[in-house]
Amino acid sequence: MATAAAASASEAEAEPKAGPKAEGEEDEAKAARTRRKVLSRAVAAATYKTIGPEWDQQEEGVSESDGDEEYAMASSAESSPGEYEWEYDEEEEKNQLEIERLEEQLSINVYDYNCHVDLIRLLRLEGELTKVRMARQKMSEIFPLTEGPNIWLEYGQYSVGGIGQKGGLEKVRSVFERALSSVGLHMTKGLAIWEAYREFESAIVEAARLEKVHSLFRRQLAIPLYDMEATFAEYEEWSEDPIPESVIQNYNKALQQLEKYKPYEEALLQAEAPRLAEYQAYIDFEMKIGDPARIQLIFERALVENCLVPDLWIRYSQYLDRQLKVKDLVLSVHSRAVRNCPWTVALWSRYLLAMERHGVDHRGISVTFEKALSAGFIQATDYVEIWQAYLDYLRRRVDFKQDSSKELEELRSAFARALEYLKQEVEERFNESGDPSCLIMQNWARIEARLCNNMQKARELWDSIMTKGNAKYANMWLEYYNLERAHGDTQHCRKALHRAVQCTSDYPEHVCEVLLTMERTEGTLEDWDIAVQKTETRLARVNEQRIKAAEKEAALAQQEEEKAEQRKRARAEKKALKKKKKTRGAEKNTVDEDDEKEWGDEEEEQPSKRRRLENSVPPTGEAERGPDADPGLVGVELPSKPKERVAAPRRDVPKVLHDSSKDGITVFVSNLPYSLEEPATVLRPLFEACGDVVEIRPIFSNRGDFRGYCYVEFKEEAAAQRALELDRKSVEGRPMFVSPCVDKSKNPDFKVFRYSTALEKHKLFISGLPFSCTREELEEICKAHGTVKDIRLVTNRAGKPKGLAYVEYENESQASQAVLKMDGMTVKENIIKVAISNPPQRKFPEKPEARKAPGGPLVPRQIYGARGKGRTQLSLLPRALQRPGAPAAQAENGPAPPPAGATPAATEAPKMSNADFAKLLLRK
């Protein structure tokens, strides 16, 4: 125990200095030691009383583990070489190489949490206790521990050991007061601090201290805490005087408050760690009440279990910045936030703003910025964001009324350094600078033009921006033109627009209109003639290019159609040849020749030219099409061909006509095993769990073979809707497909696929998995990077795995972290690929003449994420610039939403005038 160690240490230090002493001094020393032991035991007893034996066991476990490490190291040193010494040498050499690699990795990125953990584990495995302590110390400096009641209890007990020193008593009280400020309001664990403090004061046998104990009881009873009734009863028993009425009123008020807090505390007790949702609800409740001390406490409690959640730190720091505004508290929380989540650029940006807001000196802010650069952000745009925050801070330091100053030169050198850093460091790591639109250079050019009156430098910067691939965008040229209009001259404005007319490829009409407007207002006749000539020539060339592009696209579409026709003809010829061979083989076979011929003739009939019974032979592939087949045709008797004998069915199945009016209470079940002898018996228990089943109609062939699909009719429509949830449920090893019973002839746009086909940033697509990988094994791998909401292993119709999976996380941030950590990971000797889920766009059927027409509707294109066609689809746009888009249509069972471009309004886009383009591009 910490107190015992402190007491023994003080005794050991006192022995050499003792020497010959007077008996009075020896008695005084003994009395001091006895007093320390009594106080220590009092605090320990209070702790044990509140928390129980687990606390002592936890401390003893720590000491035992340290002893085990030392014993393991000693025993390994004393052991003699054995038969398998070469195996240990090889393992030790491998561990040493891994240790060196981890140390080198940490020298590059000191904020790599996993590297710290792996290094400590290997050092412990090698028995390097000194290095283990050093590694733990370094990690604790980067990733701090969050304060908790148990830590404060240990600290209070330890401080009691120094009570015999000068000012020791006041120091112990100071520790306990700090503990009460931090966790004294903790509803469930704050009681331990109050009990320990009170026991400490009670152990000091002085009359003057009794008032201190009274004060502690009264303070505690005014706070809503669990087990308040026992504390009140203990106070009544301890106090010799009647309890004051004011204390009773405060106690009753605290009891009423406790009832309001109990639902949230009970939710925390019932939930499993990290309980983020429960803490968020508790925080919302505290924010409505508005007590700053309790709001701060609930944030601290939430961060104990969720210290690696950036959003929680952002919300906490935002509250402190806007409400409390206490410098030491605000900066402390910001510092802890960036130490716990150093990869989050928003926390660093807020930290820099808070430091500037509270008047931290320039050197301190610069040091923090340099730490941010070495934090190891996961996206290139993060580096652009942190540079912009720092450059904004430097700009606010400059007094632009002076022609030249030290701050201005520092700002210019910082801009130059930022551009160089993005070009070398960031581009080398991410294969992109993260600033394709050159936002930093644009900002620099505006400062030079507007604040420094240095248009020459601004023009040089814009020339550099245009040479980086931005010359084809009209909005870039108009931005430069507006800067010239505000701070330059007409000559440079005209020059910029002439270059824009020649280079712009996205909206050349608008640039031409701006040029003509300027010449109409300010130019001479010669200027007007030159502008008209250039714009007409450019627009003619653009129209010619567009016509060629449309013709090329139409030609490609025609080629695709021709190839599709060729493939269709080849399949038809192959099928005819196969049937011809089958017919020849049947002629040679003398066994049941008539039946075989009759069966083949039935298969050759086209489904569109006949009407069939529900229990008749369906055409090839009907089971696979599922409800796409017209249910209105099911259950109608077939006309038999002349001179044909119908094979007798093996089982007597009544022929039931399908009633399309019952489609709302009927589901279609397909992909069932063909080996089911009694499908209705097997399926009835499954579907009766959804509601009352009226009838299960399995479909058999004329020979009595089960065709693998059936219809299930319920009494109520709600039961049919619940039955859809059984989709993909395994039946004898095959996934059963359950879908609504819909007439495709009446609903041609009906879709059965129930999963989203759009970009889902919170869901991962994993390929390359071993076929033996189970859902539990994959969940164990994925949950290390966030909260896993759902996992779907993709299988074929036979229920066999395809090595693919979809993993849904709680939010986009967790999914992005998982992609970075898991992509390229080895799972059971298979290297897996991990990316944000973005399935390829499904092709929609289209009339050939519509695709041939140059002005016809375009084929729907794949909707890509922020990375375009990038495999991982990770977004590199700063969160500060992201705007919520329109919600993606969820592809569920039912009518599918029409694809983009399918409506008449989208087929022919409305023509936009030059004024419309001007409003579109000049909108701020």
Side-chain angles (χ1 to χ4, degrees):
M1 305 285 279
T3 307
S8 60
S10 61
E11 291 172 7
E13 290 176 0
E15 286 179 1
K17 301 178 182 179
K21 284 189 178 182
E23 292 183 0
E25 294 179 353
E26 292 179 358
D27 293 340
E28 185 178 350
K30 289 181 180 179
R33 287 196 296 269
T34 304
R35 187 182 183 186
R36 284 197 299 270
K37 291 180 180 179
V38 170
L39 293 174
S40 177
R41 289 171 184 168
V43 176
T47 304
Y48 187 89
K49 173 184 175 183
T50 307
I51 299 181
E54 295 180 1
W55 187 59
D56 275 338
Q57 292 174 5
Q58 184 181 5
E59 285 191 339
E60 292 171 4
V62 173
S63 61
E64 288 174 5
S65 64
D66 291 340
D68 290 342
E69 287 182 5
E70 296 175 0
Y71 172 77
M73 187 175 67
S75 61
S76 63
E78 294 174 2
S79 61
S80 58
E83 182 180 356
Y84 304 102
E85 182 180 358
W86 62 274
E87 294 183 2
Y88 293 107
D89 291 342
E90 183 178 354
E91 187 69 22
E92 183 178 355
E93 183 178 354
K94 185 188 295 185
N95 289 342
Q96 289 295 334
L97 292 175
E98 182 66 12
I99 288 172
E100 293 177 3
R101 187 191 69 80
L102 292 173
E103 289 177 343
E104 182 180 356
Q105 183 69 21
L106 288 175
S107 66
I108 299 173
N109 181 13
V110 73
Y111 292 98
D112 194 328
Y113 184 87
N114 293 328
C115 277
H116 281 285
V117 175
D118 294 341
L119 179 60
I120 292 173
R121 178 181 57 82
L122 286 176
L123 290 174
R124 288 188 62 181
L125 189 63
E126 292 296 313
E128 299 284 351
L129 295 185
T130 304
K131 291 185 178 180
V132 168
R133 294 190 185 97
M134 293 175 60
R136 284 175 174 169
Q137 179 65 25
K138 290 181 179 178
M139 184 176 180
S140 66
E141 292 174 357
I142 303 299
F143 300 98
L145 293 174
T146 308
E147 299 175 359
N150 292 358
I151 295 177
W152 278 111
L153 279 173
E154 292 187 31
Y155 188 27
Q157 188 182 5
Y158 168 77
S159 63
V160 172
I163 197 173
Q165 301 175 3
K166 184 178 180 180
L169 181 60
E170 296 302 323
K171 182 178 180 181
V172 175
R173 285 189 176 137
S174 173
V175 169
F176 275 112
E177 288 293 340
R178 287 169 56 198
L180 290 179
S181 299
S182 297
V183 293
L185 297 178
H186 198 297
M187 194 80 64
T188 56
K189 297 182 179 180
L191 180 64
I193 302 295
W194 290 99
E195 292 278 354
Y197 194 4
R198 205 169 55 246
E199 293 289 342
F200 165 75
E201 292 291 350
S202 299
I204 302 175
V205 188
E206 295 181 16
R209 307 303 175 196
L210 295 179
E211 185 59 32
K212 185 71 173 178
V213 178
H214 275 289
S215 175
L216 286 173
F217 266 119
R218 294 167 185 171
R219 289 168 60 188
Q220 181 180 350
L221 291 174
I223 298 173
L225 298 172
Y226 269 42
D227 205 15
M228 291 183 63
E229 296 83 355
T231 304
F232 185 79
E234 184 180 353
Y235 186 31
E236 285 183 322
E237 182 181 352
W238 180 85
S239 178
E240 298 177 355
D241 301 327
I243 300 178
E245 186 64 27
S246 61
V247 175
I248 297 177
Q249 291 179 358
N250 291 336
Y251 167 70
N252 292 329
K253 185 178 179 181
L255 280 177
Q256 294 176 0
Q257 292 178 345
L258 180 62
E259 293 302 318
K260 296 180 181 179
Y261 287 107
K262 269 187 176 180
Y264 299 96
E265 292 291 342
E266 290 173 358
L268 289 174
L269 292 174
Q270 294 172 4
E272 297 181 359
R275 302 178 285 195
L276 180 59
E278 289 75 16
Y279 276 120
Q280 294 281 18
Y282 205 160
I283 290 171
D284 293 338
F285 173 72
E286 291 285 12
M287 295 283 272
K288 290 179 181 178
I289 296 177
D291 185 352
R294 298 202 65 88
I295 293 174
Q296 184 182 352
L297 173 67
I298 191 58
F299 269 116
E300 293 291 346
R301 289 178 62 186
L303 289 169
V304 170
E305 298 179 11
N306 299 277
C307 61
L308 300 181
V309 180
D311 292 340
L312 191 59
W313 284 108
I314 290 174
R315 189 177 182 187
Y316 186 21
S317 61
Q318 181 176 317
Y319 168 76
L320 296 177
D321 287 335
R322 296 178 179 178
Q323 302 297 329
L324 294 187
K325 302 180 181 179
V326 180
K327 177 180 178 180
D328 293 338
L329 177 60
V330 169
L331 295 183
S332 173
V333 170
H334 278 289
S335 176
R336 289 165 52 207
V338 298
R339 291 172 68 188
N340 279 282
C341 304
W343 59 85
T344 307
V345 68
L347 292 175
W348 288 102
S349 300
R350 290 172 177 272
Y351 191 14
L352 293 177
L353 289 172
M355 296 177 76
E356 181 184 2
R357 194 177 295 119
H358 290 282
V360 178
D361 61 355
H362 175 59
R363 179 176 178 81
I365 296 178
S366 298
V367 169
T368 302
F369 169 70
E370 295 298 334
K371 288 181 180 179
L373 287 182
S374 61
F377 298 131
I378 60 177
Q379 299 183 93
T381 50
D382 291 345
Y383 288 95
V384 178
E385 186 174 344
I386 194 64
W387 268 110
Q388 284 183 321
Y390 183 60
L391 292 169
D392 291 345
Y393 156 71
L394 293 179
R395 195 266 307 163
R396 288 189 286 266
R397 294 179 66 240
V398 179
D399 182 8
F400 290 99
K401 295 179 181 179
Q402 302 178 9
D403 294 337
S404 179
S405 64
K406 180 182 177 181
E407 289 79 6
L408 179 58
E409 294 303 320
E410 185 177 0
L411 174 62
R412 285 171 171 163
S413 62
F415 269 114
R417 184 191 166 199
L419 298 178
E420 189 68 19
Y421 186 90
L422 294 177
K423 181 179 179 181
Q424 294 184 356
E425 301 290 337
V426 178
E427 194 165 352
E428 181 179 349
R429 179 180 172 189
F430 296 97
N431 294 325
E432 58 175 329
S433 67
D435 191 13
S437 299
C438 301
L439 297 176
I440 291 180
M441 293 182 70
Q442 289 188 44
N443 191 25
W444 189 4
R446 293 189 196 100
I447 292 174
E448 292 289 352
R450 297 175 182 176
L451 301 177
C452 301
N453 297 320
N454 189 355
M455 274 304 299
Q456 184 60 34
K457 181 64 177 179
R459 293 180 184 120
E460 293 176 2
L461 290 170
W462 268 105
D463 284 341
S464 180
I465 291 172
M466 293 304 182
T467 58
K468 294 183 180 297
N470 294 299
K472 59 184 177 181
Y473 300 116
N475 64 326
M476 300 296 286
W477 284 108
L478 294 178
E479 184 72 25
Y480 175 38
Y481 166 73
N482 290 332
L483 192 68
E484 284 285 359
R485 291 287 290 179
H487 307 284
D489 51 49
T490 304
Q491 181 181 357
H492 284 92
C493 288
R494 182 176 291 111
K495 183 179 179 181
L497 289 177
H498 281 194
R499 292 174 59 191
V501 167
Q502 298 299 323
C503 300
T504 302
S505 60
D506 55 351
Y507 296 104
E509 295 91 347
H510 180 55
V511 175
C512 293
E513 182 65 22
V514 172
L515 175 59
L516 293 175
T517 301
M518 190 193 77
E519 297 298 357
R520 181 178 288 111
T521 306
E522 304 177 17
T524 62
L525 177 61
E526 183 181 358
D527 295 332
W528 171 261
D529 291 338
I530 294 175
V532 170
Q533 181 181 358
K534 285 192 174 184
T535 54
E536 289 179 351
T537 304
R538 176 59 178 165
L539 292 178
R541 192 184 313 128
V542 169
N543 290 331
E544 184 180 351
Q545 292 174 353
R546 289 175 178 172
I547 292 173
K548 288 183 179 179
E551 291 175 352
K552 185 178 180 180
E553 188 172 354
L556 290 175
Q558 186 175 1
Q559 290 178 5
E560 288 295 327
E561 289 179 4
E562 292 176 355
K563 289 180 181 178
E565 288 294 331
Q566 291 177 1
R567 288 194 295 268
K568 187 176 180 180
R569 285 197 299 268
R571 284 196 299 268
E573 292 174 359
K574 187 176 180 181
K575 186 176 181 180
L577 183 61
K578 186 176 180 180
K579 287 184 178 180
K580 189 175 181 181
K581 290 181 179 180
K582 185 176 181 181
T583 305
R584 290 178 180 177
E587 290 175 355
K588 294 179 182 179
N589 190 357
T590 57
V591 181
D592 202 4
E593 181 177 353
D594 293 337
D595 286 347
E596 292 294 333
K597 181 178 179 182
E598 189 173 278
W599 179 252
D601 290 341
E602 283 185 1
E603 286 186 338
E604 289 174 1
E605 291 186 37
Q606 298 297 324
S608 60
K609 296 181 180 179
R610 63 175 183 168
R611 300 164 63 84
R612 61 183 182 276
L613 286 172
E614 188 172 296
N615 291 317
S616 64
V617 183
T620 304
E622 183 175 351
E624 287 75 14
R625 289 198 308 272
D628 294 356
D630 186 356
L633 299 178
V634 180
V636 183
E637 191 170 353
L638 295 173
S640 58
K641 288 187 178 183
K643 300 181 181 180
E644 288 183 338
R645 291 189 295 111
V646 178
R650 296 183 183 178
R651 63 178 78 197
D652 187 14
V653 180
K655 295 175 172 50
V656 182
L657 294 175
H658 179 77
D659 188 357
S660 60
S661 64
K662 297 182 178 180
D663 286 350
I665 58 174
T666 306
V667 296
F668 180 79
V669 184
S670 61
N671 201 49
L672 295 168
Y674 299 109
S675 59
L676 289 179
E677 295 184 359
E678 297 294 336
T681 305
V682 176
L683 297 178
R684 185 172 292 275
L686 295 176
F687 288 98
E688 282 183 343
C690 304
D692 294 335
V693 177
V694 176
E695 183 183 10
I696 297 180
R697 300 196 300 276
I699 307 302
F700 297 94
S701 67
N702 278 359
R703 295 187 172 187
D705 298 327
F706 179 50
R707 300 298 294 170
Y709 60 98
C710 65
Y711 295 86
V712 181
E713 181 181 336
F714 293 90
K715 280 188 177 181
E716 300 176 352
E717 185 175 353
Q721 293 298 321
R722 287 192 294 270
L724 296 176
E725 298 177 1
L726 297 178
D727 188 37
R728 299 310 197 273
K729 185 175 182 61
S730 178
V731 176
E732 294 191 4
R734 288 176 67 94
M736 172 179 67
F737 299 163
V738 184
S739 56
C741 187
V742 175
D743 188 348
K744 282 286 288 186
S745 63
K746 299 178 182 178
N747 298 277
D749 294 332
F750 177 78
K751 295 178 67 176
V752 179
F753 192 70
R754 71 191 194 101
Y755 300 105
S756 174
T757 57
L759 174 68
E760 296 178 283
K761 297 183 179 180
H762 67 290
K763 186 180 291 186
L764 304 185
F765 173 69
I766 304 178
S767 60
L769 287 168
F771 294 152
S772 61
C773 183
T774 63
R775 176 190 174 95
E776 290 74 18
E777 292 173 344
L778 183 58
E779 183 177 6
E780 189 68 25
I781 296 172
C782 296
K783 71 181 184 181
H785 311 293
T787 304
V788 177
K789 295 181 64 177
D790 186 35
I791 292 180
R792 177 165 65 94
L793 293 175
V794 183
T795 62
N796 58 16
R797 287 182 174 273
K800 301 298 178 65
K802 301 173 69 174
L804 308 175
Y806 289 89
V807 180
E808 182 178 356
Y809 279 95
E810 196 169 48
N811 53 49
E812 176 186 346
S813 177
Q814 294 179 359
S816 300
Q817 289 286 338
V819 170
L820 295 171
K821 298 291 185 182
M822 293 172 57
D823 189 30
M825 177 188 291
T826 301
V827 177
K828 294 184 179 180
E829 300 182 356
N830 283 33
I831 299 178
I832 64 174
K833 294 182 179 180
V834 184
I836 300 297
S837 175
N838 187 23
Q841 185 74 33
R842 290 172 174 263
K843 294 183 178 180
F844 296 91
E846 193 175 332
K847 295 182 180 180
E849 56 270 16
R851 299 184 65 177
K852 290 179 183 178
L858 299 177
V859 179
R861 293 186 177 180
Q862 170 70 36
I863 301 175
Y864 296 103
R867 290 294 306 277
K869 295 185 179 181
R871 183 176 63 80
T872 61
Q873 289 295 319
L874 283 183
S875 174
L876 299 183
L877 185 68
R879 282 178 287 276
L881 299 181
Q882 291 179 354
R883 295 186 177 92
Q890 199 75 3
E892 298 288 347
N893 286 344
T903 61
T907 303
E908 185 177 356
K911 295 182 180 180
M912 298 180 66
S913 65
N914 293 327
D916 293 333
F917 278 112
K919 293 178 182 178
L920 177 66
L921 293 174
L922 294 178
R923 185 164 46 201
K924 296 294 183 181

